[in-house]
Amino acid sequence: MLRTSARPARGRHRPGRYAGLTAVSALCAVTFAHAPALATPGHYEEPLPLERLFDNTAVGDNSRAGRAADFDGAGNSLSAADLRAAGWLPGRTLTVDGARLRWPHCRAGRPDNVRAHGQEVRLPGRGEALTFLVTATTRGLPGGEVSGPGRVRYRDGSFSTYRLTVPDWRRGPLTTKAVALPHLMTRGGARGETARLYALSVPVARGREVASVLLPRERSAGELHVFALALRSPSIGWTGSWAASPSGYAAVGPWTDRTLRLVVHSSAGGPRTRIRLDNAFAGRPVRIGHATVAVQRQGATALGRPRTLAFEGRPGTEIPAGAQQFSDPLGFSVPEDTNLLVSLYLPGTVRALPLHSYTNQVSYLTADGSGDRTGEPGAGPYTGRLTTWPLLTGVDVAGGPGSVVTLGDSITDGERSTPNANVRWPDLLGRRLRAQRSVPAFGVLNHGISGNHVVTDRYPGDGTSTVLSGPSAVHRLERDVLAQTSPRAVIVFEGVNDVRWGTTARQVIAGLRTISAQAHARGLRVLVATIAPCGGFHDCTAAADAQRVAVNRHIRQSEGELYDAVLDFDAAVRDPRHPERMLPGYDCGDHLHPNDAGMRRFSESVDLRQLV
């Protein structure tokens, strides 16, 4: 049987090299083939919808002390009350990492999931990825991952294979969970232990119509439970113009009956727009009473009256814990390379929100009790200042060629560049793309998080925290890169925080390999930048620099094989006489972060032809 790779090889890149690499939760080594029917003629059974296959009950009613459900074979279950409190209501459709997943429409105590062992599920449609709402159990105990192979069958008779690796519901990583529930229901009642559910994605063949999905046939002592699955639709006709990653969940205010006016900067322009709000890491829903968008005139003052955004035809929306919400398309023309004002009215009292912690940009908010001021063109009601971006994670524009995603740390986030000036190196890269005609003028999405690491989670993944440096680049790849609007390429520029904190070059390299494998499996072009020098910073020791040099050696040697292109940011800014340090003209003064000239040097060193 002839097998072909999920994407054409570029240069010396060979996708088959990744067959043994696991993603955080889903193996992305996928093969496609034309084959006969999945079953012997005469023995083929028509695939059924997932709900018709439910054979396990995960959700119990608290009033019955969990007796109505036995999720793990030892009488333990999920709490119906906890799910309601999180906004995960029976039959509700939730958007997680761009996929619309329907929570089972079942009463507590009724079958609501299927234990995967190779069943075939009817799932017609097209998409760019297949997302499973899953978790794993081990009888009566916290367990390990459960992994197994599966298959996607297409209408044309071809199929693709995948491997799904699912974390345990009681001890899996909190940074990659879709939602965490605060109680475990036992035969003796509720116990204070966190239960986790995960939304995990695997690639499918773009352009081919899916017919059915063969669930994993698990190969371990535990059980793999599937609650929902969906094809994630591609973002056809949209380009990402601005984005920011949720870097953690933080206490705010409390704020009562306030309006936020967030200042963000477009890269690409377009005749229509939509925004994306994200309630990542939360344990409760968040209510948006009203939202508007406008071009900024100055400060909190809009150029004209702000335009109202709708959510499924309504002026407001409630976003369940861990879910996202896109606004409806709005006929509002977004200019390229321009500041926008996105205003969000938060009714009631809010004590904590997911946010992007470092913005290098002043935004605004009203006082307690000021009500809905989203439609105000003037700055008068906006008496407070914000240095974070709560809830808002994306602004898209209609049309355009798609997006380039920059995945990085504080340098990509723009730390120590001139505040409010939009001179982060991704901003400057966007301007270069707009000013030429040799390659598509992609939107540029900045997913830098200050303090972020390639392989170590800094934000713990659940609950409020003062550490807001995000999950690791590996753990946030699905949300911050693969599920972004029309991604075409990713630029990875991370690692200096890892080596400064004692992570070995070998561990960083393994993380970069995993990122590259997953991105290639989704058809993205992968560019990796060498780690810039940091000699002179207090913890950038000789030992740390040796690890940095080793990572950079690997990156340079892997161009065309593991990575489609290498951006040598190290060579662009280092001092030839002291290669462990930046040239003084590019150094902001702390020896770790570049100044505006250094940001410009990074941008100018990118050969734009390498993006395509």
Side-chain angles (χ1 to χ4, degrees):
M1 179 185 296
L2 176 66
R3 293 184 181 272
T4 58
S5 68
R7 69 185 279 281
R10 293 187 177 99
R12 291 182 292 138
H13 168 72
R14 295 187 294 273
R17 290 176 63 97
Y18 303 122
L21 279 175
T22 57
V24 175
S25 49
L27 184 69
C28 291
V30 178
T31 56
F32 299 106
H34 288 275
L38 295 176
T40 304
H43 297 277
Y44 180 76
E45 295 184 3
E46 187 68 23
L48 295 173
L50 184 70
E51 295 81 0
R52 296 275 301 276
L53 298 170
F54 284 168
D55 61 2
N56 178 260
T57 304
V59 182
D61 190 328
N62 289 20
S63 65
R64 301 180 185 179
R67 289 189 297 254
D70 185 2
F71 188 31
D72 65 352
N76 300 315
S77 63
L78 303 174
S79 164
D82 284 352
L83 284 161
R84 285 194 300 270
W88 288 51
L89 306 177
R92 186 169 197 170
T93 298
L94 308 107
T95 300
V96 183
D97 295 341
R100 290 176 59 80
L101 295 157
R102 184 174 179 265
W103 183 245
H105 198 292
C106 307
R107 297 192 307 272
R110 304 288 295 175
D112 50 29
N113 71 93
V114 58
R115 292 167 291 190
H117 54 83
Q119 305 96 319
E120 190 170 5
V121 180
R122 187 169 71 217
L123 188 70
R126 301 175 189 269
E128 62 181 13
L130 171 63
T131 301
F132 298 79
L133 185 59
V134 289
T135 198
T137 64
T138 299
R139 183 180 176 87
L141 297 168
E145 295 177 335
V146 175
S147 181
R151 190 159 59 174
V152 179
R153 185 168 65 90
Y154 301 93
R155 289 287 182 191
D156 63 6
S158 63
F159 68 87
S160 60
T161 61
Y162 67 88
R163 176 173 288 273
L164 196 67
T165 301
V166 180
D168 182 73
W169 72 310
R170 295 170 65 179
R171 66 161 49 156
L174 287 166
T175 47
T176 59
K177 55 93 171 69
V179 68
L181 307 173
H183 299 100
L184 203 71
M185 298 305 300
T186 72
R187 290 191 175 103
R191 184 168 71 218
E193 181 180 341
T194 303
R196 298 116 156 119
L197 297 173
Y198 295 87
L200 310 178
S201 297
V202 299
V204 294
R206 292 196 181 202
R208 299 190 201 176
E209 186 175 359
V210 173
S212 61
V213 176
L214 201 69
L215 297 181
R217 193 176 294 277
E218 53 88 8
R219 306 292 190 191
S220 64
E223 289 190 319
L224 192 162
H225 300 261
V226 183
F227 293 85
L229 68 165
L231 290 163
R232 185 168 75 211
S233 300
S235 306
I236 296 173
W238 291 97
T239 287
S241 181
W242 172 89
S245 305
S247 60
Y249 192 70
V252 298
W255 295 336
T256 300
D257 199 33
R258 291 194 181 200
T259 301
L260 314 181
R261 179 153 283 181
L262 308 179
V263 181
V264 301
H265 192 77
S266 68
S267 56
R272 293 188 300 156
T273 190
R274 67 180 185 181
I275 67 169
R276 182 180 63 246
L277 305 174
D278 200 320
N279 199 21
F281 312 129
R284 293 288 185 270
V286 63
R287 178 72 185 165
I288 308 297
H290 200 222
T292 63
V293 62
V295 173
Q296 182 193 44
R297 181 188 295 275
Q298 184 178 13
T301 301
L303 185 65
R305 183 162 293 279
R307 295 286 303 280
T308 295
L309 294 157
F311 302 88
E312 298 178 348
R314 296 184 297 273
T317 187
E318 181 186 80
I319 310 172
Q324 301 164 334
Q325 179 70 60
F326 285 89
S327 68
D328 302 338
L330 174 67
F332 172 81
S333 183
V334 172
E336 62 186 38
D337 195 20
T338 298
N339 277 1
L340 303 174
L341 304 177
V342 177
S343 302
L344 306 174
Y345 169 49
L346 304 178
T349 298
V350 178
R351 290 180 168 82
L353 287 172
L355 49 79
H356 186 82
S357 61
Y358 182 85
T359 65
N360 208 23
Q361 171 68 61
V362 173
S363 292
Y364 306 91
L365 76 164
T366 62
D368 270 354
S370 54
D372 180 6
R373 311 308 288 267
T374 56
E376 295 270 355
Y382 293 93
T383 56
R385 293 193 166 201
L386 276 175
T387 56
T388 61
W389 285 315
L391 294 169
L392 182 66
T393 59
V395 176
D396 298 337
V397 294
S403 315
V404 172
V405 183
T406 60
L407 185 67
D409 50 36
S410 60
I411 299 175
T412 298
D413 215 5
E415 192 162 338
R416 297 302 184 96
S417 63
T418 299
N420 305 309
N422 301 302
V423 288
R424 311 164 189 89
W425 73 264
D427 296 323
L428 301 174
L429 179 63
R431 290 185 190 121
R432 286 191 63 207
L433 284 164
R434 310 259 88 70
Q436 54 79 51
R437 296 181 180 273
S438 299
V439 301
F442 298 113
V444 178
L445 303 181
N446 188 334
H447 282 281
I449 297 179
S450 292
N452 199 235
H453 291 215
V454 173
V455 296
T456 303
D457 294 323
R458 294 286 290 120
Y459 170 67
D462 193 56
T464 58
S465 175
T466 57
V467 178
L468 301 171
S469 296
S472 70
V474 172
H475 278 173
R476 65 189 180 96
L477 183 71
E478 183 70 44
R479 179 183 60 232
D480 290 350
V481 177
L482 305 179
Q484 290 296 298
T485 299
S486 301
R488 302 291 183 255
V490 57
I491 299 174
V492 185
F493 178 35
E494 285 216 51
V496 70
N497 293 328
D498 295 77
V499 298
R500 286 174 40 237
W501 283 53
T503 304
T504 66
R506 183 176 180 180
Q507 291 170 313
V508 175
I509 290 166
L512 294 176
R513 285 176 175 268
T514 297
I515 290 169
S516 180
Q518 293 184 60
H520 277 145
R522 304 294 180 88
L524 272 65
R525 188 165 173 82
V526 178
L527 295 80
V528 178
T530 53
I531 305 172
C534 60
F537 194 73
H538 70 92
D539 61 0
C540 195
T541 62
D545 192 63
Q547 299 301 309
R548 181 187 71 87
V549 169
V551 173
N552 286 351
R553 183 184 309 116
H554 155 80
I555 292 171
R556 293 184 181 106
Q557 292 174 349
S558 300
E559 183 171 21
E561 185 170 357
L562 294 176
Y563 316 123
D564 297 295
V566 168
L567 307 179
D568 205 339
F569 285 3
D570 169 40
V573 299
R574 72 184 176 214
D575 186 337
R577 294 178 299 174
H578 305 283
E580 77 283 0
R581 289 175 174 259
M582 274 188 283
L583 280 165
Y586 297 138
D587 189 345
C588 78
D590 71 359
H591 312 304
L592 175 63
H593 298 95
N595 57 20
D596 290 357
M599 293 285 182
R600 186 168 58 253
R601 180 70 183 116
F602 285 153
S603 169
E604 291 172 349
S605 72
V606 177
D607 181 348
L608 299 182
R609 294 169 297 178
Q610 294 178 320
L611 297 172
V612 295

